[in-house]
Amino acid sequence: PVRPTATSSKAPRGVAVISKWRQNKDGSVSGFISGSPAFEDGDAITTSPITKGEVEGGSVVQTGSGSRYYLDDSQAKSATESLFALFGSDSKSSPAPVVSKPVVSNAAEERARKAAAVKAEAQRKREEAAERAAAAKAEAQRKREEAAERAAAAKAEAQRKREEAAAKAAAAKVEAQRKREEAAAKAAATKAEAQRK
């Protein structure tokens, strides 16, 4: 049979649409899906049990795994109509079991959830690595600046000590010169006194 496709201007962007739907006893919904990256438009599916939202035409519902669907207004009038729509109305053949599609739907949801979790974890690790690298770079820069400051301080201290030593040496030289001159003056005075006597 030709599978119907559902399009609705009422469906929020990015939310798959389920048409010709019916609610099952376990809280899941069976119908035809469109606008989903995991299925072709017109695929017959059964969701996992709905945990959020009103199961009625024109509503957005959510499953326990986080998948969201828009239920359009084309609700199946009866379970029989839904089954015939899903699996054909040939009375000579019995309808195919309804148990295969939930497995596909749930498996697709689980794969999408795991892929999103892996992607989020990889992103988190990249961000942590970038933060650690930035912190290590900042710490290395801080240590270089501290080392440069210590080196500059040591150089200034060495220069001060050299200047202090030079000043002391110059003062000692002046003092030695003064003492030599004083001694020479005394010697000259002594000699003159001796000659005068």
Side-chain angles (χ1 to χ4, degrees):
V2 177
R3 290 177 172 173
T5 57
T7 57
S8 174
S9 58
K10 299 179 184 178
R13 180 176 297 181
V15 177
V17 178
I18 298 180
S19 61
K20 294 290 183 184
W21 58 271
R22 69 177 180 86
Q23 188 174 18
N24 302 310
K25 292 180 180 180
D26 64 354
S28 62
V29 170
S30 297
F32 296 100
I33 193 166
S34 63
S36 169
F39 301 95
E40 293 184 5
D41 286 358
D43 269 356
I45 71 157
T46 296
T47 70
S48 49
I50 302 301
T51 58
K52 290 183 181 180
E54 295 295 331
V55 182
E56 59 185 21
S59 295
V60 175
V61 296
Q62 183 173 315
T63 66
S65 60
S67 297
R68 299 173 68 218
Y69 303 99
Y70 175 79
L71 304 177
D72 76 359
D73 294 326
S74 60
Q75 181 180 8
K77 294 178 181 178
S78 67
T80 303
E81 179 186 339
S82 178
L83 284 172
F84 281 10
L86 288 171
F87 304 107
S89 58
D90 186 357
S91 60
K92 295 181 179 180
S93 59
S94 52
V98 188
V99 295
S100 59
K101 282 299 180 181
V103 175
V104 176
S105 177
N106 292 340
E109 291 173 5
E110 184 67 14
R111 285 197 301 271
R113 187 186 65 79
K114 286 183 178 179
V118 169
K119 186 177 180 181
E121 178 66 12
Q123 178 66 19
R124 184 185 66 78
K125 287 183 178 179
R126 284 195 297 270
E127 290 173 356
E128 283 185 352
E131 288 174 0
R132 286 196 297 269
K137 185 177 180 181
E139 178 66 11
Q141 178 66 20
R142 185 185 67 78
K143 288 183 177 179
R144 285 195 296 270
E145 290 172 356
E146 283 185 353
E149 287 174 1
R150 287 196 296 269
K155 185 177 180 181
E157 179 65 12
Q159 179 65 20
R160 185 187 66 77
K161 287 182 178 179
R162 284 195 298 270
E163 290 173 355
E164 196 175 77
K168 286 181 180 178
K173 185 176 180 182
V174 169
E175 179 65 13
Q177 180 65 22
R178 186 186 65 76
K179 286 182 178 180
R180 284 194 299 270
E181 291 174 353
E182 193 176 78
K186 284 182 180 179
T190 301
K191 185 177 179 182
E193 180 64 19
Q195 288 176 351
R196 187 178 61 79
K197 288 179 178 182

